Amino acid sequence: MSTLHAATHYQRSLFDATGGRASGVNIGAAVRMRGRADPGRVRGALDALTARHEALRTTLTRQDSGGAAHQVIGNHAPSDLREVSVAEVDEQQRESACAALLQEELRRPFVLEDSPLARAVLVTLADDDRVFAVIAHHAIMDGWSAGVIRDELPHLYEHGTGATLAPPALHLADYAGWEAELADDPATQRHWRAALADASPRLTFPEDVSDVGAVARTTPRPLPLDHGLTLGALHPLMVEERASTTAVLLAALAASLSRHATNERITFGVMRSNRQQRDVRGTVGFLAGHVPVTVDLSGDPTCATLVGRTADAYDRAISRPAPVGVLRGALPDAGRGPLFDVSLNYSHGPHQADAVVTGAGIAFSQFDLAHEEPTDHPWWDGASLLDFQVRSDPAGRLSGVLVADANVLGDPEVAGFAERFSAALRRFADRPGDRLSDLGAAKEEAR
């Protein structure tokens, strides 16, 4: 028997954008298994994952044609595991063949209404080399969740039904209930209406996007951050202004976009994992969400001053939860398009791509399953016109990509945004006393 629960705002947004039909807003987690892995034990580990995490048993439905979407949590049942082999491919091409197969799985849409929103595949490259992947719709899984799955799989494979992992303290349905209570809280509504009264989530892009009904995502463009720029280079500025990495990145992003501001304040959507509390770090589900941070560009500030202002704004923004439903009503000109024209997603998670865990004679490591946005899908509240995705590795090296909406911006414009952000970040590291106008003059001279 299945149980009906309230859906999160993002789930309702994703469902409403498609009418519950096909959607390819997917995400995956992949683990490489070197050694003679037993497919039967892999299947058992998958069943254990599905039993542990309600999100992997969740579908969406609407009770009536005009009603809101709800989560349906099914009872545990053996999960479907598709087994595929690329062992017949030339040895030098097997890894790329495996990656291509998994990308095809990532692009294959899910029907949101009344169908499983997760699937698994086991790809055999050789008798002692396999890749296991869980592909899920974003409605039930986020990037942090992928790390949880990668972390738990070795233990579940090795110990099976004798695994001693503590059960998750919170599930996606619990989060949806908390979010609904918060969204209905009058004090929360008043706080965000006041905080965002002067916010400006819109920039001066070439087209009016308020009525755009679909987003055509560009191929992720690498940000040119690999020329020696590290967190170490930014550390003195972070210490001086008591700022987090996110605040420094956001200040540099605001500086690089200042020419497109409609006034002297730009409001960004900053993605947060919402896993700050220890008891939700083991939860599989889409708990991530945007926090609105307004950066004040007035008075021709120095880079250092702008970092300090941004750090203060970021600290204020994250001090109070921001339910998306409340933000939709509080942000001026939110319309039916994206909540924000520009978003920043900085990650430095504990999941290291080169980490190897051994158990039951198998070496488990992360298999690079690069996330690809679908080329065309209806708007949902997680979309933005410019999505800057930045990450740092354990050595502090920065890298990232920029994903844009091709309905509004062409490749030359996207390349320009990427280059200006990278140049601004370098200036913040090297010359924090420079003013915002100095950055603009440098851009003009570089033309």
Side-chain angles (χ1 to χ4, degrees), residues 83-405:
E83 295 188 45
V84 186
S85 175
V86 295
E88 72 284 356
V89 176
D90 181 86
E91 186 174 358
Q92 301 301 317
Q93 303 299 321
R94 288 177 192 170
E95 188 161 335
S96 59
C98 176
L101 188 151
L102 293 178
Q103 285 300 327
E104 182 179 346
E105 285 289 340
L106 261 179
R107 289 189 292 267
R108 188 156 61 92
F110 290 92
V111 176
L112 295 184
E113 188 164 24
D114 298 323
S115 70
L117 298 182
R119 53 180 175 257
V121 59
L122 181 65
V123 184
T124 297
L125 290 83
D127 288 343
D128 59 352
D129 190 3
R130 289 179 168 86
V131 173
F132 168 80
V134 173
I135 309 296
H137 195 272
H138 232 327
I140 63 166
M141 197 166 95
D142 57 14
W144 185 286
S145 304
V148 173
I149 290 172
R150 289 192 296 265
D151 287 348
E152 291 186 353
L153 180 72
H155 187 84
L156 296 174
Y157 176 89
E158 181 174 11
H159 299 287
T161 57
T164 57
L165 292 174
L170 179 138
H171 292 283
L172 187 54
D174 302 318
Y175 177 82
W178 170 82
E179 182 188 64
E181 291 179 7
L182 200 61
D184 290 336
D185 176 36
T188 299
Q189 294 173 358
R190 287 195 299 270
H191 170 85
W192 283 109
R193 280 199 299 268
L196 298 173
D198 297 323
S200 180
R202 300 288 172 249
L203 300 184
T204 56
F205 289 131
E207 303 289 339
D208 178 6
V209 300
S210 61
D211 293 325
V212 173
V215 54
R217 303 295 261 182
T218 60
T219 300
R221 175 178 290 275
L223 294 169
L225 298 173
D226 56 349
H227 303 303
L229 184 62
T230 66
L231 291 181
L234 294 166
H235 189 257
L237 181 58
M238 294 165 62
V239 172
E240 177 75 18
E241 298 298 330
R242 299 181 180 180
S244 65
T245 304
T246 299
V248 175
L249 293 172
L250 194 59
L253 183 55
S256 73
L257 291 168
S258 59
R259 68 173 69 174
H260 297 282
T262 54
N263 56 38
E264 293 181 318
R265 293 160 60 86
I266 304 178
T267 301
F268 298 91
V270 179
M271 183 62 76
R272 299 261 292 171
S273 69
N274 290 328
R275 299 310 208 291
Q276 289 74 37
Q277 295 181 328
R278 184 180 297 274
D279 60 354
V280 298
R281 292 177 187 170
T283 298
V284 169
F286 190 171
L287 274 60
H290 288 111
V291 174
V293 181
T294 300
V295 179
D296 182 2
L297 299 169
S298 64
D300 195 20
T302 65
C303 296
T305 299
L306 187 58
V307 167
R309 288 181 186 177
T310 305
D312 290 342
Y314 181 62
D315 289 345
R316 288 194 301 272
I318 65 175
S319 67
R320 191 173 191 123
V324 182
V326 172
L327 299 182
R328 173 63 73 180
L331 277 166
D333 304 321
R336 62 180 290 269
L339 278 174
F340 307 95
D341 279 358
V342 184
S343 60
L344 172 67
N345 185 351
Y346 169 63
S347 61
H348 60 99
H351 314 289
Q352 298 181 21
D354 56 354
V356 177
V357 177
T358 58
I362 305 297
F364 299 86
S365 61
Q366 180 176 333
F367 184 82
D368 185 16
L369 187 60
H371 177 53
E372 288 190 1
E373 291 280 357
T375 56
D376 189 20
H377 66 81
W379 275 124
W380 61 293
D381 281 339
S384 59
L385 302 184
L386 285 172
D387 181 14
F388 289 80
Q389 303 172 12
V390 183
R391 55 190 174 272
S392 60
D393 66 14
R397 292 183 292 262
L398 291 168
S399 61
V401 296
L402 171 58
V403 183
D405 177 16

